[in-house]
Each structure stands twice: as structure tokens, then as C-alpha cells.
Amino acid sequence: MRKRNESVTVEHERAAAAAAAAVPGPLDKGCSLRRSLRLPARYGLWFRLRKLILWLLGMYIAIPFLVKLCPAIQAKLVFLNFVRVPYFIDLKRPQDQGLNHTCNYYLQPEEDVTIGVWHTVPAALWKNARGKDQLWFEEALGSSHPVILYLHGNAGTRGGDHRVELYKVLSSLGYHVVTFDYRGWGDSIGSPSERGMTYDALHVFDWIKARSGDNPVYIWGHSLGTGVATNLVRRLCERETPPDALILESPFTNIREEARSHPFSIYRYFPGFDWFFLDPITTSGIKFANDENVKYISCSLLILHAEDDPVVPFHLGKKLYNIAATSRSFRDYKVQFVPFHTDLGYRHKYIYRSPELPRILR
């Protein structure tokens, strides 16, 4: 009986000792608490950061495959017609943008396609234009003033800020300015495509020629609009109705070289860049081959390009000029390249600010 009680006592003492060892002292308790608070927070932050890095890396790798599988995505990125800047403007009211001598039209190049057009008369006709209807503006195209058909670049609308400022400058120099939004841009109806954009431009050109009589008609393309402009002028020259001159502002050679040279392209050094990104553009029927078109154009050509252009690199405009200058089609016409120094800060869309522009155009 005594041995049993001693056994129970020994087991009780051992259990008490084990329990005492399991309960930390004041110092051990504090260290354990700090460890329990510090380690999970540190490892939790690293876990979240690592998870974010892996997610971004996964997206970076997945996007090329997504573009390859859906070429329409790359077409959207070329056109950027879904970007409407500035927002909340009424394109039916050009006077809200300071164009008091401008009329808004709507033309229909094809069935189910409607395009919005602005016609700004020369500043000399400003007073006469007040309160006049569309018929008066159309008849005014027959007045003794030259006409510029302006083809804007991607993104935005015919009411873009830098575009409006250019209309004002050209109007002050005595030009009619006719511009429009391609199908799928602004308030124009239709789906964008290179063929459709070119056909819209051809329709507006013919509309102008039907009303302008013997007045000179010049075509001015900017950025992506230079691709539309050379497509148009090549077609006009092939049918022997060339414009009086072609003006290309910030042009590129072709859309593949522009996409490859674009400074915002974070994938330019990605393995298989051409296969992933450039081939889908071609698959979508988008070429805008200015370098090929100029070989078939027979009219005077003026190229304007800023050296600090961050969107279309300056060297592409210079390369296009070199191709045109040696082309047989221009042997009887003047080809001129006008660079604008980096210090001027004209970049991609502010050449209209140049005080030399009136002299250059003359």
C-alpha cells in the first residue's frame, strides 16, 4: 500500500515538474510573445509581396499569348478608337471648342457607315459664316481659297485639343480645313479597319472635289493618319486624280516598324516579339505601308517631324523621306523634309506652334 502511495506521489511530482517547465517564466514569456508577433508579420509581408510578383510575372507572360490568340486586341491597340479625349464634348457643336466658323456634317461613305465631318472656313470668311447653314458652307468650298483635308491619328476625335489648334492656325493662313472621324471614332458609326479608314478618306476627298472647283486640295496626315493619307494618295494617283500636295506630320515607314520602335512597348525584347505582336497586326489586315506607298505617289510631298517625338521616332520619318526622295515617282515633284529641333519641344503633336509653319507651307 505504501509503495502504491509512493508511486502515485512520484508520478504527481513528475507531472507538476513537467507543467512547470511548460509554463514560461516572465522573461521567457515576453520573448515568446515577441516572436509570435514578429515572425508571422514579417513572413506575411514577404508572402504577399512574392504573390504579387508572381502574379505580375504571370500576366506579363500571359499577355503575348492572349494577343496571339486574339489578334483583334492588337488591332484595338493600334487604333485606340475607344479612347475619346477630351471627354464630354458635343461633336455636333464645334463652336464649343472655339471654332465659331465651323460646320458639322454627317456623310455616308457606305451603307451602315456614317462619319462626322467638320468644315472650318478661312478666317477671312469668319463674319460671313456666322449663322449660316450647311448649304452655305458647302458652297463656300468653291471660293478662291485652297482646301486641306486633315486626317488625324489614332485615339481621340476630330475635337482633340491639338487638332483644334491646328485648324485655327490653318484657317488663319487662308485655308478651308475639312476633317472627320473615321468609322468607329467619335460619333462616327462603323467598325474600324485600314480599308474602311482609307475608303472614308476617299469619300470625303471626292465630296470636296465635287464642290471646290479648281481650288487646290492638299492632304495632311498626322501620325497614324499618315498611313491613311499615303493609302489615299496612292489610290488617287493610280486613278490619275492626284491631290495638289501631300503633307505628312510625324510619319512612320510602316506599322510593323512603328510598333517595333514604339518607346512604350515593354515587350520589344521579349522572345518571339514579331510572332506574338507584329504578326497579329498583319493578320488583322493592318499594314499602313507608307514606305511602299510613296513609290507610287506623284505629287509634291512635305514631311514634318520633331526630333523629340516620343511616339513616332524621328529616324522613321527621316527614313521615309530618304525612300521618297530616291523614288522615280517623285522625279518631277518637290520632296521636302523639315525637322524641328529638340529644344523647341514640339514632340509628337505640337508642330502647329512653330512660327515658321506659314513660311514652310507657302
Side-chain angles (χ1 to χ4, degrees):
M1 186 70 176
R2 182 183 299 172
K3 288 183 179 180
R4 182 178 178 184
N5 290 338
E6 289 176 353
S7 176
V8 171
T9 302
V10 170
E11 289 179 0
H12 179 73
E13 290 175 350
R14 287 176 180 174
V23 177
L27 182 60
D28 291 339
K29 185 176 181 179
C31 292
S32 176
L33 181 60
R34 282 195 294 270
R35 283 197 298 270
S36 66
L37 291 175
R38 189 178 298 166
L39 294 179
R42 183 175 63 189
Y43 285 109
L45 178 62
W46 165 242
F47 176 77
R48 288 194 294 270
L49 182 60
R50 185 175 61 178
K51 186 176 180 181
L52 177 62
I53 292 173
L54 290 175
W55 183 83
L56 292 175
L57 182 62
M59 287 296 295
Y60 181 79
I61 295 174
I63 285 175
F65 290 94
L66 184 62
V67 170
K68 185 64 179 179
L69 292 173
C70 304
I73 295 176
Q74 190 70 329
K76 284 286 187 182
L77 294 177
V78 171
F79 296 138
L80 290 179
N81 59 300
F82 56 89
V83 178
R84 180 169 175 169
V85 179
Y87 296 98
F88 311 120
I89 70 169
D90 186 353
L91 293 171
K92 297 181 177 66
R93 294 179 52 83
Q95 59 269 31
D96 291 347
Q97 310 307 310
L99 296 172
N100 295 321
H101 49 314
T102 299
C103 186
N104 180 67
Y105 309 145
Y106 289 98
L107 303 179
Q108 191 170 16
E110 295 179 313
E111 187 177 358
D112 299 326
V113 174
T114 303
I115 56 175
V117 182
W118 280 1
H119 172 200
T120 302
V121 297
L125 302 178
W126 179 80
K127 291 184 178 179
N128 295 334
R130 288 186 296 182
K132 296 300 193 300
D133 59 9
Q134 178 176 333
L135 180 60
W136 183 91
F137 275 83
E138 290 187 31
E139 292 176 348
L141 285 169
S143 62
S144 57
H145 295 274
V147 184
I148 289 180
L149 171 58
Y150 179 78
L151 306 172
H152 67 67
N154 65 355
T157 68
R158 62 191 184 275
D161 293 340
H162 66 282
R163 294 163 186 164
V164 169
E165 294 305 316
L166 178 63
Y167 311 154
K168 293 177 181 178
V169 170
L170 297 177
S171 173
S172 69
L173 297 177
Y175 296 97
H176 289 275
V177 182
V178 177
T179 186
F180 66 96
D181 281 321
Y182 317 104
R183 61 187 72 187
W185 272 259
D187 57 353
S188 296
I189 299 172
S191 299
S193 67
E194 181 176 352
R195 185 207 69 83
M197 295 164 72
T198 302
Y199 191 81
D200 293 344
L202 177 63
H203 181 81
V204 177
F205 177 84
D206 288 340
W207 180 87
I208 292 170
K209 290 295 291 183
R211 291 158 177 78
S212 61
D214 295 329
N215 295 330
V217 178
Y218 310 118
I219 294 174
W220 184 314
H222 173 243
S223 192
L224 189 68
T226 64
V228 182
T230 62
N231 282 348
L232 169 62
V233 177
R234 175 177 177 175
R235 186 163 177 175
L236 293 175
C237 291
E238 288 174 347
R239 76 176 195 183
E240 300 183 352
T241 58
D244 292 274
L246 171 62
I247 303 164
L248 301 178
E249 179 188 358
S250 305
F252 49 85
T253 47
N254 57 70
I255 198 63
R256 288 180 70 97
E257 285 198 1
E258 160 58 10
R260 188 181 295 114
S261 304
H262 201 291
F264 301 147
S265 175
I266 62 174
Y267 287 97
R268 69 175 73 184
Y269 302 114
F270 191 89
F273 175 77
D274 285 20
W275 188 78
F276 278 111
F277 291 96
L278 302 186
D279 290 350
I281 296 177
T282 305
T283 301
S284 299
I286 304 172
K287 297 179 179 179
F288 292 115
N290 289 336
D291 49 355
E292 284 299 315
N293 288 337
V294 294
K295 298 176 183 178
Y296 300 92
I297 289 175
S298 52
C299 68
S300 296
L301 172 64
L302 170 64
I303 297 178
L304 311 172
H305 213 134
E307 293 178 355
D308 59 338
D309 190 328
V311 178
V312 180
F314 178 79
H315 71 86
L316 291 185
K318 186 67 174 178
K319 182 178 180 180
L320 181 64
Y321 165 74
N322 292 332
I323 294 172
T326 57
S327 174
R328 291 182 180 180
S329 63
F330 285 105
R331 61 189 172 204
D332 297 326
Y333 299 93
K334 185 176 181 179
V335 179
Q336 186 178 3
F337 181 83
V338 180
F340 296 88
H341 196 271
T342 300
D343 293 344
L344 297 171
Y346 294 155
R347 297 172 67 79
H348 184 60
K349 55 187 181 182
Y350 300 114
I351 287 177
Y352 72 84
R353 295 176 178 174
S354 172
E356 295 296 314
L357 194 58
R359 179 190 60 79
I360 293 169
L361 294 180
R362 281 197 299 269

